[in-house]
Amino acid sequence: MKRICILLILLFIAFNNSFGQQVLKKGFLVACGDDKLFIIDPNKSNNNHTEIIWKWVVSEAKSLPAEYIPLLKSLDECKPVMGNKKILVNSSSGATILVDIASKDVEFYAKTPMSHSVDLLPKNRIVVANSTHPKGNSIELYDLNKNEKVLFTDSLYSGHGVVWNPKDNLLYVLGYQLLKTYSLINWDTENPSLKLESSWRISDKSGHDLFRIDADNFLISTHNSVFLFNTSIKSFTDFTLLKGKKDVKSVNYYPKNNSLIYTIAEESWWTENIYMVNPNKTIKLPNLKLYKVRKAI
């Protein structure tokens, strides 16, 4: 009997470890809106059916102080990280968290006013972009091992995008009408910071989303269109597939197969639809104020 119990325990552990590794497979989508996260299999989804294989609600979170529940009522970023085992999440209601997919637990939390974007940096640190709020309009640096402790901050009006580029070891940051780059300073110490290196003015206002296509190219969505920024020649050009498309809230593009995945504001700032090109389909999440979608790679 004792051997059977031990075997069952080992099988349970193995199942959960396997689940954590496999639930967010490459090509799957992570979507967020209201107080919910979803993992979707796009290959089994179409205009009439959405294949949801994992769902998380803020109220399910363990190890999260109760005061954070109202700060997570409007999720607006959900980036897969750490081998697609965890998800970095922002809420414009005032918080940033790290969710473990297998356990559904929150492993990091911080109060981040009107936060709209977050990305993972070397040495288990993250950077958050905060939008228009009396305590926002900034980027903030954190260590994932130190809840709520701000390590560094800098001003950024209407912060909406932060993306790390490992090729040039620079952080790219999107504000209302500016694209900036920062380098990492004192990164091997307990007091790291960021140094502003460059700044470019965008030809449109209200930057919404920043996406890294590859080591040399980024997409920037604004109020009136979507632009391509090349890091080598430091120039903005129209992104043909979404030229003139207004209020794109999230954009993901993969040039190898000309695949595009995006969300666009259709009801005020939100939508119920995920749009895909190559393959062409619309994935619906009815009764959800959906903001962004990301693809596991």
Side-chain angles (χ1 to χ4, degrees), residues 187-234:
W187 213 248
D188 292 325
T189 73
E190 293 296 313
N191 299 295
S193 63
L194 300 168
K195 178 186 176 184
L196 178 64
E197 296 290 348
S198 302
S199 181
W200 300 274
R201 189 172 182 84
I202 305 166
S203 61
D204 193 25
K205 61 183 180 179
S206 192
H208 284 321
D209 195 27
L210 180 64
F211 176 78
R212 179 180 177 271
I213 297 175
D214 54 36
D216 300 306
N217 296 282
F218 285 76
L219 284 182
I220 298 168
S221 73
T222 62
H223 176 64
N224 290 299
S225 195
V226 179
F227 300 94
L228 179 71
F229 179 78
N230 182 273
T231 64
S232 298
I233 60 177
K234 311 292 191 297

Side-chain angles (χ1 to χ4, degrees), residues 9-188:
I9 291 171
L10 291 173
L11 287 172
F12 178 78
I13 293 172
F15 172 79
N16 279 279
N17 287 339
S18 174
F19 179 79
Q21 293 172 359
Q22 295 179 10
V23 65
L24 183 51
K25 297 179 181 179
K26 291 182 179 180
F28 282 11
L29 306 180
V30 180
C32 47
D34 294 330
D35 59 349
K36 301 173 180 66
L37 292 174
F38 298 89
I39 294 177
I40 297 166
D41 183 350
N43 298 317
K44 295 182 179 179
S45 301
N46 54 46
N47 294 2
N48 301 311
H49 170 72
T50 300
E51 185 75 8
I52 297 172
I53 63 171
W54 181 90
K55 179 181 176 181
W56 181 87
V57 182
V58 172
S59 58
E60 295 179 354
K62 298 169 259 182
S63 306
L64 182 68
E67 63 191 284
Y68 272 79
I69 300 298
L71 302 179
L72 291 162
K73 64 182 180 180
S74 51
L75 307 185
D76 57 15
E77 177 62 282
C78 38
K79 283 185 180 178
V81 293
M82 300 179 181
N84 294 327
K85 294 179 183 178
K86 305 177 192 296
I87 305 172
L88 278 171
V89 181
N90 288 126
S91 169
S92 57
S93 300
T96 295
I97 58 175
L98 178 69
V99 178
D100 179 71
I101 295 172
S103 66
K104 293 191 172 182
D105 198 7
V106 171
E107 297 184 344
F108 169 85
Y109 52 83
K111 295 174 182 176
T112 52
M114 200 65 177
S115 55
H116 271 70
S117 184
V118 58
D119 206 8
L120 184 66
L121 298 177
K123 293 190 178 295
N124 227 30
R125 288 161 180 158
I126 63 168
V127 61
V128 178
N130 299 315
S131 188
T132 51
H133 185 279
K135 296 182 179 180
N137 291 314
S138 64
I139 57 170
E140 294 179 328
L141 179 65
Y142 294 89
D143 189 311
L144 286 175
N145 297 312
K146 300 174 182 178
N147 293 328
E148 301 183 324
K149 183 179 180 180
V150 180
L151 301 176
F152 171 85
T153 187
D154 196 16
S155 62
L156 176 70
Y157 179 66
S158 188
H160 268 69
V162 283
V163 177
W164 172 247
N165 190 9
K167 180 193 175 182
D168 52 19
N169 288 315
L170 288 174
L171 171 68
Y172 287 73
V173 170
L174 176 66
Y176 184 76
Q177 206 167 4
L178 291 175
L179 178 68
K180 299 180 177 183
T181 59
Y182 288 80
S183 59
L184 310 183
I185 303 297
N186 297 323
W187 213 248
D188 292 325

